[in-house]
C-alpha cells in the first residue's frame, strides 16, 4: 500500500536531520580539526584516526544484526530509533569539549568512534522502516529522496555554520558548531517519530538474549542461503564497495586540507559544493534505479569512482584545481551507489525480516569496515617508505587504499544477479525454507 507524502517526507527528513554527523563531523569539519597540527604530526594523527574508525566498525559488526533482529521481534523499531537518534545528537554536542591539544585527541577519537557506532545502529532501524513508506515500484525513488535530502541537509547545515561563524574556523568555532549539529539532529528528526509508528511485533513477548539472538541470526543466514543465495552474495559485494564509499567521504576532507592545501574555510566551502552535487545526483539516479534497475546504477558508479580516485592520486601535484574537479566528480557517484544498494536489498527482503536483514546489511558492511581506514593508513605508511627523504607528505597515498576496496567490491558486484525491479520476490520459497 502506498504511503502518504507526509510519511515519505518525514522518513526522508531523518536523513536530513542526522546528516551533520556525516557531513560536518566525519568529513569536512571535526575529522579535519582532529587531524590538524594542534593534535600532533599530520601523518601520525591521520593514521591514528583511521585505526580508531576501524575499531568502531568492529563494534558495529558485532551489534548490528542482533539489535536489528530484536527490533523486528519486539515491534519497537521506532522506539529504538528515537533514543539512538537523540544519543547521536548528544555525542555531537559533546564534541565541544575536545580542545585543540594532543591530550584531547583520545577524547575526540572516542566520541567520533562512538558516534559512528550509534549512527550505524540507528541506520539499521531507519533503513528497515523503508518498507513502511515505499512500494516495490517506487523504492528506488524513495531511497534516492532520502539520500538526496541527506546531502542537501549537509549543505544547509554547512551554510548555517558559515553564516553564523564565518569561514575562519578557529578551534572555538569548530567546537561551537558541534553544539549546533546536536540541536539540528534533534529538531529535524521529530517528524519521523510523529508520522511513523511501530509495526506489530513478529514474535511478541519473545526475548532471545544475546546468545539466542546470534543463534537465530545464523539460522536465518542458513535459511537465506537455501532460499536466496543471491541475497547473501549481494551482501558480500555491498560490504566491500560500501566500505570504499564510506572511505571516500571519511577521508575526503582530510586529503583536501592535508594534501591539497585547502584552508579550513575552503574545506567547508568545498563541502557545500560537494553536497549540492551529491544530493542532486542521488535524487536523479533514484529515478534511473526504478527504470533501469539498481545494479546498473551501482556498476556505473563504482567504475567511475575507481577511475576518478586513481586520478586524484596521479594528478595530486596539480593542487586545488585538481581536487575541485575530481573531488566533485567523485561526489556525483557516491550517493547513487549508496542509495541503489539500499533499494537493491529492499527489493529482496521477505516480509517481517527488514530489521534483521538490514542489520545483517550493516554487519556485513562493518565486518570489513576496517578495510578502508586500515588500507588508507597502510597506503600512507607505504608512501612514507617509498618517499623517504622527500619533504612531500605521503598522505595522498591513502586514496589508493580506498580505491583498492572499491575495485574489489566492483568485481564482486558484477556477478550479482539483478533483483526484480517492480515486484518483490515471491515469499513462498523463503517461507518454505524457513519452516524447513
Amino acid at each position: 500500500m502506498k504511503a502518504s507524502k507526509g510519511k515519505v517526507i518525514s522518513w526522508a527528513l531523518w536523513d536530513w536531520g542526522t546528516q551533520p554527523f556525516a557531513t560536518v563531523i566525519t568529513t569536512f569539519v571535526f575529522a579535519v580539526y582532529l587531524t590538524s597540527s594542534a593534535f600532533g604530526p599530520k601523518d601520525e594523527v591521520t593514521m591514528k584516526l583511521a585505526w580508531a574508525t576501524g575499531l568502531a566498525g568492529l563494534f558495529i559488526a558485532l551489534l548490528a544484526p542482533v539489535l536489528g533482529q530484536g527490533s523486528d521481534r519486539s515491534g519497537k523499531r521506532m522506539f529504538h530509533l528515537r533514543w539512538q537518534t537523540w544519543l547521536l545528537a548528544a555525542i555531537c554536542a559533546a564534541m565541544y569539549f575536545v580542545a585543540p591539544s594532543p591530550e584531547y585527541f583520545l577524547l575526540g577519537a572516542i566520541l567520533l568512534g562512538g558516534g559512528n557506532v550509534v549512527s550505524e545502529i540507528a541506520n539499521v532501524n531507519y533503513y528497515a522502516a523503508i518498507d513502511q513508506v515505499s512500494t516495490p515500484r517506487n523504492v528506488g525513488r524513495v531511497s534516492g529522496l532520502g539520500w538526496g535530502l541527506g546531502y542537501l541537509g549537509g549543505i544547509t547545515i554547512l551554510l548555517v555554520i558559515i553564516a553564523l561563524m564565518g569561514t575562519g574556523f578557529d578551534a572555538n568555532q569548530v567546537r561551537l558548531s558541534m553544539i549546533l549539529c546536536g540541536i539540528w539532529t534533534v529538531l529535524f528528526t521529530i517528524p519521523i517519530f510523529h508520522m511513523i509508528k511501530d509495526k506489530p511485533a513478529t514474535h511478541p513477548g519473545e526475548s532471545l538474549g544475546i546468545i539466542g539472538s546470534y543463534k537465530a541470526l545464523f539460522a536465518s543466514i542458513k535459511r537465506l542461503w537455501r532460499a536466496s543465495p543471491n541475497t547473501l552474495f549481494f551482501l558480500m559485494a555491498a560490504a566491500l564497495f560500501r566500505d570504499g564509499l564510506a572511505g571516500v567521504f571519511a577521508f575526503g576532507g582530510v586529503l583536501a586540507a592535508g594534501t591539497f592545501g585547502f584552508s579550513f574555510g575552503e574545506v567547508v566551502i568545498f563541502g557545500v559544493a560537494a553536497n549540492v552535487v551529491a544530493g542532486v545526483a542521488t535524487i536523479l539516479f533514484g529515478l534511473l534505479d526504478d527504470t533501469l534497475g539498481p545494479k546498473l546504477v551501482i556498476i556505473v558508479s563504482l567504475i567511475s569512482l575507481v577511475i576518478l580516485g586513481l586520478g586524484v592520486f596521479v594528478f595530486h601535484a596539480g593542487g586545488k584545481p585538481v581536487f575541485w574537479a575530481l573531488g566533485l566528480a567523485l561526489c556525483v557517484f557516491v550517493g547513487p551507489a549508496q542509495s541503489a544498494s539500499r533499494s537493491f536489498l529492499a527489493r529482496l527482503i521477505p516480509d517481517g525480516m527488514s530489521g534483521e536483514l538490514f542489520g545483517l546489511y550493516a554487519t556485513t558492511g562493518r565486518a570489513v569496515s576496517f578495510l578502508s581506514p586500515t588500507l588508507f593508513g597502510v597506503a600512507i605508511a607505504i608512501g612514507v617508505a617509498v618517499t623517504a627523504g622527500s619533504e612531500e607528505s605521503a598522505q595522498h597515498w591513502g586514496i589508493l587504499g580506498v580505491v583498492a576496496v572499491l575495485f574489489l567490491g566492483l568485481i564482486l558486484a558484477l556477478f550479482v544477479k539483478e533483483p526484480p525491479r517492480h515486484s518483490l520476490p515471491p515469499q513462498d520459497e523463503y517461507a518454505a525454507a524457513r519452516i524447513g
Side-chain angles (χ1 to χ4, degrees):
M1 184 174 65
K2 188 175 181 180
S4 68
K5 289 184 178 179
K7 282 189 175 182
V8 173
I9 295 298
S10 68
W11 178 84
L13 274 175
W14 189 90
D15 247 326
W16 169 290
T18 57
Q19 189 65 19
F21 184 79
T23 298
V24 178
I25 292 173
T26 66
T27 305
F28 295 113
V29 177
F30 188 76
V32 176
Y33 168 66
L34 201 58
T35 54
S36 67
S37 58
F39 295 93
K42 179 171 58 181
D43 289 350
E44 179 183 335
V45 293
T46 302
M47 285 188 284
K48 285 182 178 178
L49 183 60
W51 310 143
T53 304
L55 182 60
L58 176 61
F59 281 101
I60 295 167
L62 294 173
L63 293 173
V66 295
L67 292 180
Q69 182 190 97
S71 293
D72 285 337
R73 290 179 174 275
S74 67
K76 294 183 178 181
R77 178 182 301 148
M78 300 311 295
F79 168 80
H80 291 304
L81 181 61
R82 184 185 298 112
W83 71 257
Q84 289 158 1
T85 302
W86 293 347
L87 176 57
L88 179 64
I91 290 173
C92 294
M95 291 177 179
Y96 169 81
F97 297 104
V98 181
S101 180
E103 60 265 28
Y104 285 93
F105 178 84
L106 181 59
L107 174 61
I110 290 173
L111 288 173
L112 189 58
N116 273 313
V117 173
V118 174
S119 175
E120 195 67 38
I121 298 301
N123 272 327
V124 171
N125 288 309
Y126 172 65
Y127 289 1
I130 197 172
D131 64 356
Q132 294 177 254
V133 295
S134 68
T135 68
R137 288 187 177 275
N138 69 0
V139 65
R141 278 168 285 175
V142 171
S143 181
L145 176 64
W147 276 110
L149 276 184
Y151 286 122
L152 296 177
I155 302 165
T156 308
I157 183 64
L158 284 172
L159 289 175
V160 169
I161 290 172
I162 291 172
L164 293 177
M165 303 179 189
T167 58
F169 277 89
D170 60 25
N172 286 332
Q173 290 171 326
V174 171
R175 294 167 66 197
L176 287 171
S177 68
M178 298 299 100
I179 296 176
L180 180 60
C181 288
I183 295 171
W184 179 281
T185 297
V186 171
L187 181 64
F188 287 104
T189 56
I190 290 173
I192 191 174
F193 303 122
H194 175 70
M195 294 293 296
I196 302 177
K197 305 302 180 183
D198 284 320
K199 294 174 67 175
T202 58
H203 296 79
E206 182 178 357
S207 178
L208 298 180
I210 296 178
I211 295 177
S213 294
Y214 273 105
K215 287 182 178 179
L217 172 67
F218 292 133
S220 293
I221 293 173
K222 183 178 179 180
R223 290 192 296 268
L224 192 62
W225 172 251
R226 294 204 304 266
S228 181
N230 187 55
T231 301
L232 285 182
F233 192 65
F234 166 73
L235 288 173
M236 290 187 287
L240 286 170
F241 70 70
R242 284 167 53 229
D243 187 50
L245 296 172
V248 172
F249 266 113
F251 299 111
V254 172
L255 286 171
T259 297
F260 292 90
F262 279 50
S263 68
F264 220 141
E266 287 173 326
V267 171
V268 174
I269 293 170
F270 177 83
V272 172
N275 279 270
V276 170
V277 171
V280 173
T282 304
I283 292 172
L284 293 177
F285 270 85
L287 302 177
L288 293 177
D289 183 323
D290 284 328
T291 56
L292 301 178
K295 180 178 177 179
L296 181 61
V297 173
I298 292 170
I299 297 301
V300 170
S301 296
L302 292 179
I303 291 174
S304 302
L305 288 165
V306 168
I307 294 172
L308 291 168
L310 290 174
V312 171
F313 175 78
V314 172
F315 300 109
H316 74 279
K320 295 178 183 179
V322 167
F323 193 82
W324 270 104
L326 297 182
L328 291 181
L330 281 163
C331 293
V332 171
F333 300 103
V334 173
Q338 292 171 318
S339 176
S341 180
R342 179 166 67 187
S343 72
F344 192 113
L345 183 59
R347 286 177 165 89
L348 299 176
I349 295 177
D351 290 335
M353 294 203 57
S354 55
E356 183 173 344
L357 286 188
F358 272 116
L360 189 58
Y361 182 68
T363 291
T364 52
R366 289 302 177 170
V368 297
S369 65
F370 63 89
L371 278 178
S372 275
T374 301
L375 290 184
F376 186 86
V378 168
I380 293 176
I382 293 173
V384 169
V386 171
T387 61
S390 171
E391 295 183 359
E392 182 185 25
S393 169
Q395 190 187 58
H396 65 281
W397 282 71
I399 190 66
L400 294 181
V402 176
V403 167
V405 178
L406 288 170
F407 182 73
L408 290 173
L410 167 63
I411 297 302
L412 285 184
L414 289 171
F415 297 97
V416 175
K417 296 178 182 178
E418 180 81 75
R421 294 180 189 171
H422 301 303
S423 62
L424 288 176
Q427 309 301 322
D428 294 344
E429 183 181 2
Y430 183 85
R434 194 169 187 173
I435 293 171

